[in-house]
Amino acid sequence: MKTINVVQVASEMVPFAKTGGLADVCGALPLALEKLGQDVIIVMPGYKAVHNLKQPAVKRLNEGISISRIGKNINVYFIDNDEYFNRDSLYGEKTGDYKDNLDRFSYFCRKALELLKELGFKADIIHCHDWQSALIPIYLKTLYAEDDFYKDTKTIFTIHNIGYQGLFPKAEFPKLGLSWNVFNMEMLEYFDKINILKGGIVFSDLINTVSETYSKEIQTSQFGFGMEGVLNKRRDSVFGIINGLDYSIWDPSRDKKIFQTYSFKNIKDKYANKDQLQQISKLPVKRTVPLLGIVSRLAEQKGFDILSEGIDAICKMDLQLIILGTGDLKYHQILEQMVKKYPKVISLSLKFDDTLAHRIYAGADIFLMPSKYEPCGLGQMISLRYGTLPLVFKTGGLADTVNEKNGFVFDKYSKDELIKTIKKAIKVYKDKIQWNELMLRGMKLNFSWAESAKKYIELYERAKGK
Ligand code: ADP
């Protein structure tokens, strides 16, 4: 296979900065591509978190650029700018998104394109992820249209979540340095606002999302968040590639963050994790009671609307519930009230905590992920490997990975269906033989990156031929 030169441009990636699955994907895909012989570099913002990291080392390369390395030989370049990126959060605070996000990410995209020229890295493909890097395909087809350096460079735009589009007031348009010609309904305009994601869809050579089902769903008004029309126009260029999982991070047989390692060969050891998890969560240590875990952003997308409607009834069942997450204040408050009411049933950690996340995946019996929509979802894939049966709503990547042979699925989005499915799961939990069968089947599934990375290489080849 001929080597493809790929630049991954993203606003977060493991191990440098993470708020969600995007970081997992952008950290793992380059490694998988490198293993398949491709030449990869990465560009991301140099946040405060990046510069505070001890391992891997991040060094200043020159004014405004730092560098680190992952895998065997993958250079990671950070676009530095104290004013824009030396902040505690990536995108905003509890009160909302940073007001200057358009300045921040347009700066990031412009600098990324200049950096490639400085490095002399002639990319076959620039692979952009979500709206924060979507200005790159836009700039390439406008400001850089006549630039010889980029004449053979193609762009792939991956949509990890179409609910986040980068919407800004029209008045900010001049900041982008683009001609007003692109501010129209066919391009960057959306109901008199700037829509960066829409521009990414229009101007990139190929588009994909992170599961087959989601790539179809977003072309409908139910899931398209207003982008269904523009996506439909480009339907021959829209693909779906399921995310993989980085099993060097997510594997219970070698996970150093969990209390006791285990695999499908010694599944009993999983329950030592349950005991300890109950203990640190201040719940009664009891193996017979099913322990439900949630690791999630606390957002409506993740099913917290039906979950909070049904939470009182759920807490009355014979179960325990451990929730780790941050997000909408509304859900923080509802859940805090529930903890006061049912302190022996529900344990709540309103924070981002990677170690605790690993411990929940390992210690829980059931992983609750009733997302209203889910582009791919990593939580269910992680929990499958940890022998923690996922309970999901049938949508997007959840529909592509979970079924009644490895977990529990409901297909009508309502609190009643959620409650009914939890009841069913609890009933099955009492049948140890059936439960073990389900667990083992899930643990043996393989969502490794190798297959998905091959599909990305096919997509890159397809883009090169455009
Ligand atoms: P998202 O839509 O948030 O990207 P995914 O399921 O694709 O959802 O990925 C979420 C990732 O973030 C998973 O690796 C999950 O374990 C992690 N995660 C989410 N919330 C937390 C938290 N509060 N603490 C630690 N890890 C978290």
Side-chain angles (χ1 to χ4, degrees):
M1 207 190 304
K2 224 178 134 271
T3 304
I4 305 175
N5 296 327
V6 192
V7 185
Q8 302 284 338
V9 187
S11 58
E12 55 181 275
M13 70 168 282
V14 165
F16 300 103
K18 166 167 170 173
T19 69
L22 173 66
D24 292 293
V25 174
C26 296
L29 174 61
L31 301 176
L33 290 170
E34 184 181 52
K35 280 197 187 124
L36 293 171
Q38 312 307 316
D39 191 2
V40 190
I41 67 169
I42 297 165
V43 186
M44 69 172 278
Y47 304 108
K48 191 190 248 181
V50 169
H51 292 287
N52 286 344
L53 204 71
K54 292 196 179 72
Q55 270 299 332
V58 176
K59 293 194 195 109
R60 174 57 57 99
L61 185 69
N62 57 38
E63 185 60 34
I65 307 288
S66 298
I67 184 168
S68 185
R69 183 167 282 192
I70 61 164
K72 280 211 175 70
N73 205 11
I74 301 175
N75 282 339
V76 185
Y77 295 93
F78 301 95
I79 307 293
D80 291 328
N81 179 314
D82 269 357
E83 188 194 334
Y84 290 151
F85 302 126
N86 189 16
R87 302 185 188 179
D88 289 329
S89 301
L90 272 54
Y91 312 121
E93 280 154 356
K94 270 207 188 97
T95 45
D97 287 348
Y98 291 132
K99 293 278 176 277
D100 57 352
N101 273 347
L102 190 70
D103 307 71
R104 297 172 77 224
F105 291 104
S106 58
Y107 176 84
F108 170 61
C109 290
R110 291 291 288 270
K111 283 284 167 189
L113 287 170
E114 282 170 33
L115 172 70
L116 297 183
K117 288 181 89 169
E118 274 169 41
L119 296 171
F121 190 93
K122 280 208 182 216
D124 296 314
I125 302 290
I126 305 185
H127 186 166
C128 303
H129 300 265
D130 279 353
W131 78 261
Q132 292 87 349
S133 52
L135 276 161
I136 288 190
I138 303 171
Y139 285 143
L140 280 179
K141 291 248 167 78
T142 52
L143 305 185
Y144 290 83
E146 305 298 322
D147 192 316
D148 213 39
F149 183 80
Y150 283 116
K151 73 178 191 328
D152 297 321
T153 300
K154 304 290 180 189
T155 51
I156 305 266
F157 181 46
T158 301
I159 300 171
H160 295 259
N161 190 335
I162 207 154
Y164 300 86
Q165 302 184 349
L167 283 168
F168 298 95
K170 182 179 176 179
E172 291 195 44
F173 187 78
K175 290 176 176 175
L176 295 175
L178 290 165
S179 152
W180 279 102
N181 289 342
V182 298
F183 190 78
N184 63 57
M185 261 173 56
E186 305 293 314
M187 295 175 173
L188 269 72
E189 182 189 352
Y190 185 70
F191 291 101
D192 213 33
K193 283 195 168 145
I194 311 166
N195 187 320
I196 302 292
L197 180 114
K198 185 176 173 188
I201 293 171
V202 172
F203 285 100
S204 52
D205 291 299
L206 292 178
I207 302 141
N208 83 296
T209 71
V210 286
S211 68
E212 283 278 347
T213 299
Y214 192 61
S215 74
K216 308 250 166 14
E217 284 175 345
I218 56 171
Q219 296 183 50
T220 68
S221 55
Q222 192 188 347
F223 293 100
F225 280 88
M227 292 298 107
E228 56 276 10
V230 69
L231 279 164
N232 224 273
K233 271 197 195 141
R234 296 217 57 197
R235 62 183 170 276
D236 294 338
S237 301
V238 180
F239 297 84
I241 301 179
I242 189 102
N243 287 333
L245 202 59
D246 186 344
Y247 287 118
S248 71
I249 297 175
W250 301 108
D251 176 0
S253 70
R254 51 189 166 141
D255 187 336
K256 293 203 173 64
K257 292 183 174 141
I258 63 178
F259 295 109
Q260 164 97 51
T261 55
Y262 62 96
S263 72
F264 62 83
K265 290 186 192 134
N266 56 348
I267 213 148
K268 282 208 177 71
D269 288 348
K270 174 174 168 67
Y271 294 99
N273 288 289
K274 179 171 176 175
D275 299 342
Q276 301 247 38
L277 179 63
Q278 286 171 323
Q279 206 163 19
I280 61 165
S281 309
K282 304 204 166 54
L283 293 172
V285 179
K286 254 172 123 178
R287 288 198 182 179
T288 49
V289 58
L291 176 57
L292 279 62
I294 294 179
V295 180
S296 178
R297 285 184 285 115
L298 305 186
E300 193 179 309
Q301 183 218 327
K302 297 292 181 181
F304 278 87
D305 52 349
I306 54 171
L307 193 67
S308 45
E309 280 172 40
I311 190 92
D312 208 77
I314 293 168
C315 288
K316 289 198 174 86
M317 294 183 205
D318 180 26
L319 52 72
Q320 294 176 349
L321 178 59
I322 296 185
I323 302 176
L324 166 65
T326 57
D328 295 356
L329 211 54
K330 177 168 90 177
Y331 298 124
H332 285 213
Q333 287 161 351
I334 295 172
L335 294 173
E336 272 169 337
Q337 276 173 6
M338 284 299 122
V339 177
K340 278 194 197 123
K341 198 165 167 192
Y342 302 101
K344 292 217 164 89
V345 177
I346 171 166
S347 159
L348 181 65
S349 299
L350 296 172
K351 57 181 176 176
F352 194 93
D353 182 337
D354 190 45
T355 302
L356 182 56
H358 281 250
R359 290 174 171 173
I360 293 174
Y361 287 119
D365 298 299
I366 296 166
F367 189 74
L368 214 49
M369 194 164 174
S371 307
K372 186 178 247 168
Y373 75 91
E374 192 57 78
C376 174
L378 294 174
Q380 85 283 12
M381 295 202 260
I382 300 172
S383 63
L384 281 166
R385 177 50 65 112
Y386 283 71
T388 305
L389 302 192
L391 191 161
V392 306
F393 175 57
K394 190 174 181 181
T395 184
L398 298 175
D400 291 356
T401 50
V402 184
N403 53 54
E404 72 286 352
K405 291 198 172 71
N406 60 27
F408 303 93
V409 183
F410 59 104
D411 59 11
K412 195 173 153 281
Y413 189 78
S414 72
K415 128 195 156 222
D416 292 337
E417 286 302 307
L418 171 65
I419 292 173
K420 222 163 88 186
T421 314
I422 293 177
K423 279 191 183 140
K424 186 176 151 196
I426 292 176
K427 204 163 152 221
V428 178
Y429 182 76
K430 309 275 176 218
D431 179 346
K432 283 294 155 220
I433 295 173
Q434 198 188 346
W435 194 264
N436 274 351
E437 264 174 32
L438 287 165
M439 273 169 94
L440 288 177
R441 211 175 285 129
M443 290 177 87
K444 288 179 185 168
L445 289 173
N446 190 353
F447 298 107
S448 81
W449 264 106
E451 282 312 305
S452 301
K454 278 186 204 146
K455 295 202 175 117
Y456 271 106
I457 293 174
E458 281 168 28
L459 199 64
Y460 297 160
E461 291 290 0
R462 190 187 282 261
K464 274 174 68 179
K466 281 201 95 161

mmCIF file of all heavy atoms in Angstrom, residues 14-15 23-25 27-29 31-32 35 70 243-251 254 358 378 381-382 385-386 447-450:
data_model
loop_
_atom_site.group_PDB
_atom_site.id
_atom_site.type_symbol
_atom_site.label_atom_id
_atom_site.label_comp_id
_atom_site.label_asym_id
_atom_site.label_seq_id
_atom_site.Cartn_x
_atom_site.Cartn_y
_atom_site.Cartn_z
ATOM 1 N N VAL A 14 -6.568 12.667 23.212
ATOM 2 C CA VAL A 14 -5.881 11.943 24.283
ATOM 3 C C VAL A 14 -4.435 11.723 23.854
ATOM 4 O O VAL A 14 -4.198 11.430 22.688
ATOM 5 C CB VAL A 14 -6.602 10.572 24.478
ATOM 6 C CG1 VAL A 14 -5.762 9.619 25.298
ATOM 7 C CG2 VAL A 14 -7.972 10.773 25.100
ATOM 8 N N PRO A 15 -3.430 11.877 24.665
ATOM 9 C CA PRO A 15 -3.478 12.126 26.105
ATOM 10 C C PRO A 15 -3.358 13.604 26.488
ATOM 11 O O PRO A 15 -3.105 13.900 27.643
ATOM 12 C CB PRO A 15 -2.235 11.377 26.584
ATOM 13 C CG PRO A 15 -1.251 11.576 25.474
ATOM 14 C CD PRO A 15 -2.056 11.620 24.209
ATOM 15 N N ALA A 23 -11.765 13.254 21.765
ATOM 16 C CA ALA A 23 -10.359 13.140 22.172
ATOM 17 C C ALA A 23 -9.877 11.691 22.085
ATOM 18 O O ALA A 23 -8.749 11.423 21.651
ATOM 19 C CB ALA A 23 -10.172 13.661 23.594
ATOM 20 N N ASP A 24 -10.733 10.749 22.478
ATOM 21 C CA ASP A 24 -10.359 9.334 22.379
ATOM 22 C C ASP A 24 -10.078 8.971 20.923
ATOM 23 O O ASP A 24 -9.079 8.319 20.605
ATOM 24 C CB ASP A 24 -11.495 8.436 22.891
ATOM 25 C CG ASP A 24 -11.725 8.575 24.399
ATOM 26 O OD1 ASP A 24 -10.843 8.179 25.160
ATOM 27 O OD2 ASP A 24 -12.785 9.086 24.792
ATOM 28 N N VAL A 25 -10.966 9.408 20.055
ATOM 29 C CA VAL A 25 -10.845 9.073 18.638
ATOM 30 C C VAL A 25 -9.590 9.703 18.034
ATOM 31 O O VAL A 25 -8.805 9.030 17.361
ATOM 32 C CB VAL A 25 -12.099 9.555 17.871
ATOM 33 C CG1 VAL A 25 -11.936 9.358 16.377
ATOM 34 C CG2 VAL A 25 -13.337 8.839 18.372
ATOM 35 N N GLY A 27 -6.961 10.638 19.443
ATOM 36 C CA GLY A 27 -5.729 10.084 20.001
ATOM 37 C C GLY A 27 -5.429 8.706 19.443
ATOM 38 O O GLY A 27 -4.270 8.329 19.291
ATOM 39 N N ALA A 28 -6.467 7.953 19.126
ATOM 40 C CA ALA A 28 -6.257 6.552 18.734
ATOM 41 C C ALA A 28 -6.114 6.353 17.225
ATOM 42 O O ALA A 28 -5.299 5.529 16.780
ATOM 43 C CB ALA A 28 -7.419 5.705 19.246
ATOM 44 N N LEU A 29 -6.879 7.094 16.439
ATOM 45 C CA LEU A 29 -6.831 6.893 14.987
ATOM 46 C C LEU A 29 -5.418 7.094 14.411
ATOM 47 O O LEU A 29 -4.953 6.272 13.616
ATOM 48 C CB LEU A 29 -7.870 7.799 14.298
ATOM 49 C CG LEU A 29 -7.846 7.822 12.773
ATOM 50 C CD1 LEU A 29 -8.129 6.439 12.178
ATOM 51 C CD2 LEU A 29 -8.867 8.832 12.215
ATOM 52 N N LEU A 31 -2.560 6.581 15.736
ATOM 53 C CA LEU A 31 -1.716 5.431 16.092
ATOM 54 C C LEU A 31 -2.035 4.243 15.188
ATOM 55 O O LEU A 31 -1.136 3.547 14.714
ATOM 56 C CB LEU A 31 -1.933 5.034 17.560
ATOM 57 C CG LEU A 31 -1.652 6.107 18.611
ATOM 58 C CD1 LEU A 31 -2.007 5.600 20.003
ATOM 59 C CD2 LEU A 31 -0.172 6.517 18.572
ATOM 60 N N ALA A 32 -3.324 4.045 14.963
ATOM 61 C CA ALA A 32 -3.731 2.923 14.105
ATOM 62 C C ALA A 32 -3.279 3.157 12.665
ATOM 63 O O ALA A 32 -2.849 2.220 11.977
ATOM 64 C CB ALA A 32 -5.241 2.744 14.175
ATOM 65 N N LYS A 35 0.404 2.417 12.407
ATOM 66 C CA LYS A 35 0.644 0.959 12.373
ATOM 67 C C LYS A 35 0.399 0.386 10.981
ATOM 68 O O LYS A 35 0.985 -0.618 10.599
ATOM 69 C CB LYS A 35 -0.262 0.251 13.385
ATOM 70 C CG LYS A 35 0.272 0.335 14.795
ATOM 71 C CD LYS A 35 -0.390 -0.692 15.704
ATOM 72 C CE LYS A 35 0.050 -0.459 17.131
ATOM 73 N NZ LYS A 35 -1.072 -0.247 18.045
ATOM 74 N N ILE A 70 3.805 11.173 19.767
ATOM 75 C CA ILE A 70 3.116 9.959 20.240
ATOM 76 C C ILE A 70 3.407 8.824 19.257
ATOM 77 O O ILE A 70 3.925 9.062 18.164
ATOM 78 C CB ILE A 70 1.582 10.154 20.384
ATOM 79 C CG1 ILE A 70 0.939 10.510 19.045
ATOM 80 C CG2 ILE A 70 1.258 11.197 21.439
ATOM 81 C CD1 ILE A 70 -0.579 10.349 19.030
ATOM 82 N N ASN A 243 -16.274 4.253 15.104
ATOM 83 C CA ASN A 243 -15.039 4.457 15.874
ATOM 84 C C ASN A 243 -14.549 3.131 16.424
ATOM 85 O O ASN A 243 -15.339 2.244 16.745
ATOM 86 C CB ASN A 243 -15.288 5.368 17.073
ATOM 87 C CG ASN A 243 -15.487 6.809 16.668
ATOM 88 O OD1 ASN A 243 -14.981 7.248 15.644
ATOM 89 N ND2 ASN A 243 -16.225 7.547 17.484
ATOM 90 N N GLY A 244 -13.257 3.033 16.591
ATOM 91 C CA GLY A 244 -12.709 1.883 17.296
ATOM 92 C C GLY A 244 -12.495 2.259 18.754
ATOM 93 O O GLY A 244 -12.838 3.354 19.208
ATOM 94 N N LEU A 245 -11.928 1.306 19.471
ATOM 95 C CA LEU A 245 -11.605 1.551 20.872
ATOM 96 C C LEU A 245 -10.123 1.275 21.027
ATOM 97 O O LEU A 245 -9.611 0.328 20.434
ATOM 98 C CB LEU A 245 -12.421 0.573 21.721
ATOM 99 C CG LEU A 245 -12.649 0.969 23.163
ATOM 100 C CD1 LEU A 245 -13.357 2.292 23.271
ATOM 101 C CD2 LEU A 245 -13.496 -0.114 23.838
ATOM 102 N N ASP A 246 -9.447 2.080 21.797
ATOM 103 C CA ASP A 246 -8.024 1.853 22.028
ATOM 104 C C ASP A 246 -7.870 0.856 23.176
ATOM 105 O O ASP A 246 -7.958 1.222 24.345
ATOM 106 C CB ASP A 246 -7.339 3.189 22.343
ATOM 107 C CG ASP A 246 -5.829 3.041 22.449
ATOM 108 O OD1 ASP A 246 -5.355 1.889 22.575
ATOM 109 O OD2 ASP A 246 -5.130 4.064 22.404
ATOM 110 N N TYR A 247 -7.638 -0.405 22.813
ATOM 111 C CA TYR A 247 -7.573 -1.450 23.843
ATOM 112 C C TYR A 247 -6.280 -1.399 24.656
ATOM 113 O O TYR A 247 -6.119 -2.159 25.594
ATOM 114 C CB TYR A 247 -7.791 -2.837 23.222
ATOM 115 C CG TYR A 247 -9.240 -3.066 22.817
ATOM 116 C CD1 TYR A 247 -9.588 -3.282 21.491
ATOM 117 C CD2 TYR A 247 -10.256 -3.053 23.773
ATOM 118 C CE1 TYR A 247 -10.914 -3.486 21.122
ATOM 119 C CE2 TYR A 247 -11.581 -3.248 23.414
ATOM 120 C CZ TYR A 247 -11.904 -3.460 22.085
ATOM 121 O OH TYR A 247 -13.223 -3.647 21.730
ATOM 122 N N SER A 248 -5.360 -0.511 24.300
ATOM 123 C CA SER A 248 -4.210 -0.358 25.199
ATOM 124 C C SER A 248 -4.617 0.488 26.406
ATOM 125 O O SER A 248 -3.963 0.482 27.445
ATOM 126 C CB SER A 248 -3.016 0.263 24.465
ATOM 127 O OG SER A 248 -3.279 1.609 24.186
ATOM 128 N N ILE A 249 -5.714 1.218 26.275
ATOM 129 C CA ILE A 249 -6.239 2.017 27.398
ATOM 130 C C ILE A 249 -7.406 1.293 28.060
ATOM 131 O O ILE A 249 -7.529 1.274 29.279
ATOM 132 C CB ILE A 249 -6.707 3.403 26.888
ATOM 133 C CG1 ILE A 249 -5.526 4.188 26.308
ATOM 134 C CG2 ILE A 249 -7.376 4.199 28.004
ATOM 135 C CD1 ILE A 249 -5.916 5.517 25.682
ATOM 136 N N TRP A 250 -8.263 0.688 27.246
ATOM 137 C CA TRP A 250 -9.520 0.123 27.755
ATOM 138 C C TRP A 250 -9.490 -1.402 27.690
ATOM 139 O O TRP A 250 -10.072 -1.990 26.784
ATOM 140 C CB TRP A 250 -10.707 0.673 26.966
ATOM 141 C CG TRP A 250 -10.833 2.169 27.009
ATOM 142 C CD1 TRP A 250 -10.589 3.048 25.998
ATOM 143 C CD2 TRP A 250 -11.263 2.970 28.124
ATOM 144 N NE1 TRP A 250 -10.835 4.339 26.418
ATOM 145 C CE2 TRP A 250 -11.245 4.315 27.715
ATOM 146 C CE3 TRP A 250 -11.665 2.684 29.437
ATOM 147 C CZ2 TRP A 250 -11.603 5.365 28.558
ATOM 148 C CZ3 TRP A 250 -12.014 3.740 30.274
ATOM 149 C CH2 TRP A 250 -11.992 5.052 29.823
ATOM 150 N N ASP A 251 -8.797 -2.005 28.608
ATOM 151 C CA ASP A 251 -8.728 -3.466 28.649
ATOM 152 C C ASP A 251 -8.621 -3.907 30.111
ATOM 153 O O ASP A 251 -7.613 -3.633 30.773
ATOM 154 C CB ASP A 251 -7.492 -3.928 27.852
ATOM 155 C CG ASP A 251 -7.307 -5.429 27.924
ATOM 156 O OD1 ASP A 251 -8.127 -6.102 28.588
ATOM 157 O OD2 ASP A 251 -6.339 -5.923 27.324
ATOM 158 N N ARG A 254 -5.391 -5.477 31.746
ATOM 159 C CA ARG A 254 -4.143 -4.736 32.011
ATOM 160 C C ARG A 254 -4.385 -3.280 32.413
ATOM 161 O O ARG A 254 -3.499 -2.431 32.322
ATOM 162 C CB ARG A 254 -3.188 -4.820 30.816
ATOM 163 C CG ARG A 254 -3.847 -4.438 29.514
ATOM 164 C CD ARG A 254 -2.956 -4.736 28.335
ATOM 165 N NE ARG A 254 -3.738 -4.677 27.107
ATOM 166 C CZ ARG A 254 -3.307 -4.172 25.963
ATOM 167 N NH1 ARG A 254 -2.091 -3.707 25.868
ATOM 168 N NH2 ARG A 254 -4.074 -4.161 24.897
ATOM 169 N N HIS A 358 -12.822 4.570 34.807
ATOM 170 C CA HIS A 358 -12.342 3.191 34.617
ATOM 171 C C HIS A 358 -12.943 2.265 35.674
ATOM 172 O O HIS A 358 -13.333 1.137 35.385
ATOM 173 C CB HIS A 358 -10.810 3.148 34.718
ATOM 174 C CG HIS A 358 -10.116 3.612 33.472
ATOM 175 N ND1 HIS A 358 -9.434 2.762 32.642
ATOM 176 C CD2 HIS A 358 -9.992 4.838 32.909
ATOM 177 C CE1 HIS A 358 -8.918 3.448 31.624
ATOM 178 N NE2 HIS A 358 -9.237 4.720 31.772
ATOM 179 N N LEU A 378 -18.755 5.775 22.911
ATOM 180 C CA LEU A 378 -17.649 4.898 23.311
ATOM 181 C C LEU A 378 -18.003 4.137 24.574
ATOM 182 O O LEU A 378 -17.568 3.016 24.779
ATOM 183 C CB LEU A 378 -16.387 5.734 23.545
ATOM 184 C CG LEU A 378 -15.821 6.411 22.293
ATOM 185 C CD1 LEU A 378 -14.663 7.314 22.658
ATOM 186 C CD2 LEU A 378 -15.389 5.378 21.276
ATOM 187 N N MET A 381 -19.118 0.658 24.163
ATOM 188 C CA MET A 381 -18.075 -0.259 23.668
ATOM 189 C C MET A 381 -17.092 -0.588 24.794
ATOM 190 O O MET A 381 -16.637 -1.714 24.934
ATOM 191 C CB MET A 381 -17.324 0.374 22.493
ATOM 192 C CG MET A 381 -18.195 0.585 21.278
ATOM 193 S SD MET A 381 -17.216 0.702 19.784
ATOM 194 C CE MET A 381 -17.147 2.426 19.518
ATOM 195 N N ILE A 382 -16.781 0.434 25.597
ATOM 196 C CA ILE A 382 -15.885 0.205 26.735
ATOM 197 C C ILE A 382 -16.549 -0.787 27.684
ATOM 198 O O ILE A 382 -15.958 -1.788 28.092
ATOM 199 C CB ILE A 382 -15.565 1.523 27.485
ATOM 200 C CG1 ILE A 382 -14.884 2.531 26.560
ATOM 201 C CG2 ILE A 382 -14.705 1.240 28.714
ATOM 202 C CD1 ILE A 382 -14.708 3.931 27.142
ATOM 203 N N ARG A 385 -16.445 -4.445 26.791
ATOM 204 C CA ARG A 385 -15.164 -5.111 27.030
ATOM 205 C C ARG A 385 -14.958 -5.416 28.525
ATOM 206 O O ARG A 385 -14.267 -6.357 28.893
ATOM 207 C CB ARG A 385 -14.028 -4.210 26.491
ATOM 208 C CG ARG A 385 -12.617 -4.687 26.715
ATOM 209 C CD ARG A 385 -12.341 -6.125 26.295
ATOM 210 N NE ARG A 385 -12.455 -6.420 24.884
ATOM 211 C CZ ARG A 385 -11.452 -6.735 24.083
ATOM 212 N NH1 ARG A 385 -10.227 -6.771 24.540
ATOM 213 N NH2 ARG A 385 -11.672 -7.033 22.815
ATOM 214 N N TYR A 386 -15.587 -4.601 29.386
ATOM 215 C CA TYR A 386 -15.421 -4.786 30.829
ATOM 216 C C TYR A 386 -16.491 -5.714 31.420
ATOM 217 O O TYR A 386 -16.622 -5.821 32.645
ATOM 218 C CB TYR A 386 -15.426 -3.425 31.552
ATOM 219 C CG TYR A 386 -14.108 -2.679 31.400
ATOM 220 C CD1 TYR A 386 -13.729 -2.122 30.184
ATOM 221 C CD2 TYR A 386 -13.220 -2.552 32.470
ATOM 222 C CE1 TYR A 386 -12.520 -1.452 30.032
ATOM 223 C CE2 TYR A 386 -12.009 -1.882 32.328
ATOM 224 C CZ TYR A 386 -11.668 -1.336 31.104
ATOM 225 O OH TYR A 386 -10.466 -0.681 30.964
ATOM 226 N N PHE A 447 -13.847 -4.189 18.945
ATOM 227 C CA PHE A 447 -14.060 -2.905 18.258
ATOM 228 C C PHE A 447 -12.728 -2.194 18.077
ATOM 229 O O PHE A 447 -12.628 -0.991 18.281
ATOM 230 C CB PHE A 447 -15.022 -2.023 19.049
ATOM 231 C CG PHE A 447 -16.387 -2.600 19.221
ATOM 232 C CD1 PHE A 447 -16.800 -3.102 20.440
ATOM 233 C CD2 PHE A 447 -17.273 -2.652 18.161
ATOM 234 C CE1 PHE A 447 -18.070 -3.642 20.606
ATOM 235 C CE2 PHE A 447 -18.545 -3.190 18.308
ATOM 236 C CZ PHE A 447 -18.941 -3.696 19.538
ATOM 237 N N SER A 448 -11.687 -2.963 17.761
ATOM 238 C CA SER A 448 -10.359 -2.337 17.708
ATOM 239 C C SER A 448 -10.282 -1.375 16.515
ATOM 240 O O SER A 448 -11.069 -1.455 15.567
ATOM 241 C CB SER A 448 -9.284 -3.403 17.592
ATOM 242 O OG SER A 448 -9.192 -3.808 16.250
ATOM 243 N N TRP A 449 -9.285 -0.502 16.576
ATOM 244 C CA TRP A 449 -9.138 0.511 15.553
ATOM 245 C C TRP A 449 -8.655 -0.030 14.216
ATOM 246 O O TRP A 449 -8.814 0.608 13.182
ATOM 247 C CB TRP A 449 -8.188 1.622 16.033
ATOM 248 C CG TRP A 449 -8.947 2.773 16.602
ATOM 249 C CD1 TRP A 449 -9.070 3.114 17.913
ATOM 250 C CD2 TRP A 449 -9.736 3.713 15.863
ATOM 251 N NE1 TRP A 449 -9.887 4.204 18.041
ATOM 252 C CE2 TRP A 449 -10.300 4.599 16.803
ATOM 253 C CE3 TRP A 449 -10.034 3.892 14.519
ATOM 254 C CZ2 TRP A 449 -11.137 5.650 16.430
ATOM 255 C CZ3 TRP A 449 -10.874 4.940 14.141
ATOM 256 C CH2 TRP A 449 -11.415 5.800 15.090
ATOM 257 N N ALA A 450 -8.041 -1.238 14.243
ATOM 258 C CA ALA A 450 -7.414 -1.739 13.017
ATOM 259 C C ALA A 450 -8.399 -1.713 11.837
ATOM 260 O O ALA A 450 -8.073 -1.187 10.762
ATOM 261 C CB ALA A 450 -6.874 -3.137 13.255
#
